[in-house]
Amino acid sequence: MDASQLQDWLAAYGSAWVTRDPDAAAALFSPDALYHESPYDAPFEGSAAVREYWVSVTEDQGHVDFDSEVVGVFDGSGVALWSARFERTSTGAPVELNGVFLLEFDDQMRCSSLREWWHAR
């Protein structure tokens, strides 16, 4: 894996978020992937669980914008900075997120482990 491949994966992740497409999001992950939304909670396990997470988490989001930047790539892993902006569809309240991904990939460029740390404003 190189930086260009990671940027392509991040673009696909961002596209899935912008379009709120849980099937597209799940397709980016291996069948046995671990998705750690928080360092203190148990991970979502498997691409089906990632899909269900995306169904619920994006349900109240509209007008999503996503940006990312590759920080580094090493041995099938990558680090990226990301930011997202959206509106809560239920209230119209703006939300801004800023975070970091630590990602591991299988040989088919599917994410096998995602760990994220983020803050909201």
Side-chain angles (χ1 to χ4, degrees):
M1 178 180 67
D2 60 26
S4 175
Q5 290 174 301
L6 179 53
Q7 190 57 57
D8 289 346
W9 187 92
L10 291 164
Y13 182 96
S15 177
W17 195 348
V18 167
T19 60
R20 298 178 357 188
D21 185 342
D23 293 322
L28 296 170
F29 291 85
S30 65
D32 60 347
L34 298 176
Y35 190 118
H36 298 263
E37 183 197 25
S38 165
Y40 299 111
D41 296 331
F44 300 98
E45 296 185 40
S47 56
V50 170
R51 184 192 183 286
E52 292 308 310
Y53 165 71
W54 272 64
V55 167
S56 65
V57 79
T58 63
E59 184 177 45
D60 192 31
Q61 299 176 357
H63 307 290
V64 178
D65 183 38
F66 177 85
D67 293 305
S68 62
E69 176 185 347
V70 173
V71 174
V73 175
F74 51 95
D75 296 330
S77 299
V79 177
L81 302 175
W82 63 270
S83 61
R85 289 154 301 288
F86 56 86
E87 290 180 4
R88 293 277 179 215
T89 55
S90 59
T91 64
V95 177
E96 185 175 356
L97 304 175
N98 190 291
V100 174
F101 286 145
L102 176 57
L103 305 158
E104 296 175 21
F105 293 89
D106 67 13
D107 59 358
Q108 296 177 25
M109 224 18 227
R110 295 176 303 184
C111 185
S112 58
S113 176
L114 177 149
R115 292 180 182 272
E116 64 181 330
W117 295 266
W118 53 272
H119 292 279
R121 171 168 50 175

